[in-house]
Amino acid sequence: MAQFQEVSKQSSQHPKLAGLVLQYGTAGFRTSAKLLNHIMFRMGLLATLRSKKTKATIGVMVTASHNPEEDNGVKLIDPMGEMVTPTWEGYATQLANAEQDDLLNALKDIIEKEAVNMSQEANVFVGKDTRSSSASLSQAVLDGVSALGGHSKDYGLVTTPQLHYMVCSQNTQGKYGEATVDGYYRKLCQAFIQLIKNATNCTDDQKHLCVDGANGIGALKVLEMESHLKKELQISLFNDGSKGKLNHQCGADFVKVQQKPPTGIKINPGERCCSFDGDADRIVYYYTDSEGQFHLLDGDKIATVIVTFLKELITQAGLDLKVAVVQTAYANGSSTHYLEDTMKVIVRCTKTGVKHLHHVAQEFDVGVYFEANGHGTTLFSKAAEEKIQQLTEDPNANDERKRAALLLQNTINVINQTVGDAISDMLLIEAILAIKGMTVQQWDAIYTDLPNRQLKVKVSDRRVIDTTDAERRTLSPAGLQEAIDSLVKKHKLARSFVRPSGTEDVVRVYAEADTQESADALAHEVSLAVYRLAGGVGDEPKPLH
């Protein structure tokens, strides 16, 4: 077939390094940018096949999110803006690792297994982040699409969530939104402005927010969006990419892990700040108090303030909707207790990785999901959206119920339901704080986090660790879970779990307890158990103090 000749010809421009093996993980492919040219070309091929198979537009995003600048990566986006299905993740790995002269066979194998109709039209949307390697790598994706005769649309520099939004908008024929960057800003900002109208006596001081753009794509997009906000939110942007390095000592991951503000930023006491990550799909909030103490409001605190707001509105609207919060094992124990005992909402725990949380959130009328790292969003079922819509139009409904329904409707329009989105989450949180007349300190005081510590232990093979119960307990190696259980018993209000990294040969250790000293000690003791029982490499873990 002429198509395959074209693939052969173009693939020689994007040769694979012999013997290189990469795995399509939770975040797609991610490694040093130097190793990715052939992967990008092949993901262009795969996206074209996926588009033919689903008879829908597929997205390909070139980004390595919160990784260092010299890395890059790629992830595929399915028709409704969700992550690509597990079967096709397998095909991605298969295609990426086929040696150069075996590429056509690997391609034909996928076509055969999925019974892809090769005469079906294909459409692929491509986006990229601000890394210097992204331009040539996204071109390799476009080459892959054209080699199989697919049509592509290059959105250029966009955040990851913006590309998810474009794909969903395109495949819903504009019902979800208009598939342009401007359409994205208009939808979110108009809904935000409608929500803010319900915030009585909001001072300019309360409208001010400091945003750390991680020297990435999110910074550029916040600048583009500002005119749409009509001064209803006043943003001071730092780490805007004009001088610093992407994700270097800044961004959501740095702030969350280091438990301190981005380097070189002067924050006034009590000032509300937030940080995006490199591709703007994560957000965390923070402030420093009058003593100079740093306070982090992570994904758990974000989920809590969102679900509190939504639950109040659903009650006011008199709607019977099933509301749940989906967390991972990393969620702070205090947040889980508060949600279950005080808020009386359903809490579900699932494996780490947003695709797992997204899946569980879809089981409810309203599903709020956030990883502790600040990656998350809120999903509304079609039935829930219809009930809210009907109530806004019901001539017999009283004013209070109608007002609540309209607020819910605008809230739905501020949210990017396809994926975690730092910009959309920021607008939602700002609207909630304004409507509730809540300061960042009052939000922080909803519950107090248990002190915790995360560590990692290098091992020769991470696959020796096998987990169950949403990664909260280990099945192997023998004796490890018993060791963790007995260590946990030595501390108050303690828990600890370990899980293998999805990307490198390390085991991640999490511990929490009633004091920071206790949490640190427990994390170290569990690290030693992992090192001894799971094949640790290098020096044995040293105590933190």
Side-chain angles (χ1 to χ4, degrees):
M1 282 170 84
Q3 270 171 332
F4 293 133
Q5 283 169 338
E6 190 56 32
V7 171
S8 282
K9 192 174 109 192
Q10 293 223 29
S11 127
S12 62
Q13 309 296 308
H14 305 280
K16 176 185 182 292
L17 298 170
L20 177 69
V21 175
L22 293 171
Q23 183 80 28
Y24 192 99
T26 321
F29 292 107
R30 210 180 274 183
T31 184
S32 163
K34 296 188 186 84
L35 303 175
L36 283 170
N37 190 289
H38 75 286
I39 297 268
M40 297 295 172
F41 174 73
R42 294 170 183 204
M43 290 310 99
L45 298 175
L46 190 68
T48 309
L49 295 184
R50 183 79 183 137
S51 176
K52 288 175 185 285
K53 170 73 182 177
T54 55
K55 300 186 171 66
T57 298
I58 296 296
V60 182
M61 183 68 199
V62 177
T63 181
S65 186
H66 54 276
N67 279 37
E69 193 161 8
E70 53 278 9
D71 286 353
N72 217 322
V74 60
K75 32 192 166 182
L76 268 62
I77 302 168
D78 252 3
M80 285 302 112
E82 73 277 49
M83 312 226 169
V84 74
T85 61
T87 312
W88 283 73
E89 287 183 1
Y91 295 150
T93 300
Q94 181 190 341
L95 203 55
N97 295 325
E99 294 304 337
Q100 197 63 21
D101 50 10
D102 210 32
L103 177 60
L104 288 187
N105 289 335
L107 205 57
K108 286 171 184 168
D109 183 50
I110 297 165
I111 292 166
E112 201 172 303
K113 276 189 185 137
E114 289 293 325
V116 177
N117 171 9
M118 293 305 286
S119 59
Q120 173 69 37
E121 285 226 329
N123 287 294
V124 179
F125 284 179
V126 181
K128 60 173 184 271
D129 72 11
T130 54
R131 291 161 205 271
S132 53
S133 60
S134 291
S136 65
L137 292 178
S138 69
Q139 186 52 54
V141 175
L142 295 164
D143 290 350
V145 176
S146 75
L148 273 179
H151 303 287
S152 58
K153 179 164 184 178
D154 183 3
Y155 276 90
L157 292 168
V158 284
T159 68
T160 295
Q162 284 177 334
L163 194 70
H164 283 258
Y165 168 95
M166 302 306 163
V167 170
C168 183
S169 297
Q170 182 68 21
N171 289 320
T172 54
Q173 284 72 51
K175 280 197 192 70
Y176 185 67
E178 182 196 319
T180 64
V181 174
D182 223 42
Y184 166 92
Y185 295 140
R186 272 202 303 276
K187 179 182 172 181
L188 269 59
C189 295
Q190 280 168 6
F192 172 76
I193 288 163
Q194 288 303 319
L195 280 174
I196 285 289
K197 286 180 180 165
N198 294 275
T200 44
N201 56 21
C202 207
T203 65
D204 275 359
D205 196 28
Q206 285 162 310
K207 287 181 183 180
H208 184 252
L209 175 69
C210 293
V211 178
D212 156 29
N215 291 313
I217 184 68
L220 297 186
K221 297 300 161 182
V222 164
L223 287 171
E224 283 179 11
M225 182 177 72
E226 272 194 292
S227 60
H228 292 269
L229 287 169
K230 307 203 178 355
K231 302 249 185 318
E232 288 299 339
L233 179 60
Q234 287 155 25
I235 293 172
S236 296
L237 183 67
F238 44 93
N239 294 323
D240 62 358
S242 58
K243 46 185 185 297
K245 261 178 82 170
L246 176 71
N247 295 325
H248 181 62
Q249 301 201 321
C250 63
D253 200 53
F254 174 85
V255 171
K256 167 80 178 147
V257 174
Q258 301 298 325
Q259 303 273 326
K260 62 182 186 186
T263 308
I265 304 300
K266 177 86 183 75
I267 297 174
N268 299 319
E271 197 167 25
R272 206 167 59 251
C273 309
C274 68
S275 285
F276 296 175
D277 68 335
D279 66 339
D281 62 3
R282 288 184 188 186
I283 186 170
V284 294
Y285 269 73
Y286 47 94
Y287 67 96
T288 53
D289 60 27
S290 50
E291 268 85 69
Q293 185 74 34
F294 174 80
H295 296 259
L296 176 75
L297 294 92
D298 63 6
D300 300 336
K301 287 256 156 112
I302 292 171
T304 303
V305 79
I306 292 172
V307 81
T308 306
F309 177 69
L310 291 174
K311 211 171 167 222
E312 282 168 10
L313 288 181
I314 289 164
T315 306
Q316 283 165 17
L319 290 166
D320 179 22
L321 298 174
K322 209 167 173 191
V323 182
V325 175
V326 188
Q327 299 183 321
T328 71
Y330 287 109
N332 194 279
S334 291
S335 73
T336 313
H337 293 308
Y338 176 79
L339 289 164
E340 289 182 330
D341 305 341
T342 309
M343 287 302 303
K344 307 280 186 241
V345 295
I346 303 163
V347 179
R348 285 286 169 82
C349 184
T350 177
K351 277 164 60 172
T352 307
V354 181
K355 61 184 177 190
H356 301 299
L357 288 95
H358 192 91
H359 193 66
V360 176
Q362 287 172 321
E363 295 168 19
F364 301 92
D365 291 316
V366 182
V368 180
Y369 74 81
F370 272 85
E371 292 197 293
N373 62 27
H375 195 173
T377 187
T378 303
L379 305 183
F380 291 82
S381 68
K382 282 281 162 278
E385 289 196 17
E386 278 161 20
K387 280 182 188 170
I388 293 164
Q389 173 72 30
Q390 280 160 3
L391 184 53
T392 63
E393 295 163 359
D394 181 358
N396 302 317
N398 67 31
D399 287 353
E400 190 200 12
R401 290 187 65 202
K402 258 199 168 133
R403 177 183 172 271
L406 281 164
L407 274 166
L408 281 167
Q409 208 164 38
N410 284 314
T411 303
I412 289 170
N413 285 328
V414 163
I415 293 168
N416 184 348
Q417 293 190 55
T418 64
V419 73
D421 181 340
I423 291 176
S424 148
D425 290 335
M426 171 186 80
L427 293 177
L428 176 60
I429 293 160
E430 290 302 310
I432 292 171
L433 296 180
I435 292 166
K436 291 175 80 72
M438 211 182 209
T439 64
V440 69
Q441 293 88 339
Q442 287 167 325
W443 170 22
D444 191 27
I446 292 177
Y447 64 82
T448 305
D449 273 333
L450 281 167
N452 57 83
R453 175 67 64 200
Q454 290 186 45
L455 298 173
K456 49 187 183 181
V457 183
K458 280 196 165 163
V459 291
S460 57
D461 182 2
R462 66 180 185 268
R463 289 171 302 187
V464 302
I465 302 265
D466 188 22
T467 64
T468 183
D469 185 24
E471 301 179 314
R472 287 178 286 194
R473 298 186 68 76
T474 60
L475 295 169
S476 69
L480 181 57
Q481 189 56 52
E482 292 75 9
I484 295 170
D485 289 342
S486 66
L487 292 167
V488 165
K489 284 197 186 104
K490 292 163 48 184
H491 301 270
K492 282 191 185 143
L493 300 178
R495 72 182 180 99
S496 179
F497 68 91
V498 304
R499 56 179 284 272
S501 158
T503 47
E504 51 185 330
D505 278 322
V506 301
V507 176
R508 301 190 188 282
V509 174
Y510 178 89
E512 63 185 32
D514 63 336
T515 66
Q516 192 61 56
E517 286 73 22
S518 216
D520 289 352
L522 177 58
H524 173 248
E525 290 156 2
V526 172
S527 295
L528 275 176
V530 170
Y531 180 86
R532 287 167 188 164
L533 295 168
V537 295
D539 296 335
E540 83 170 22
K542 300 271 184 293
L544 294 161
H545 301 291

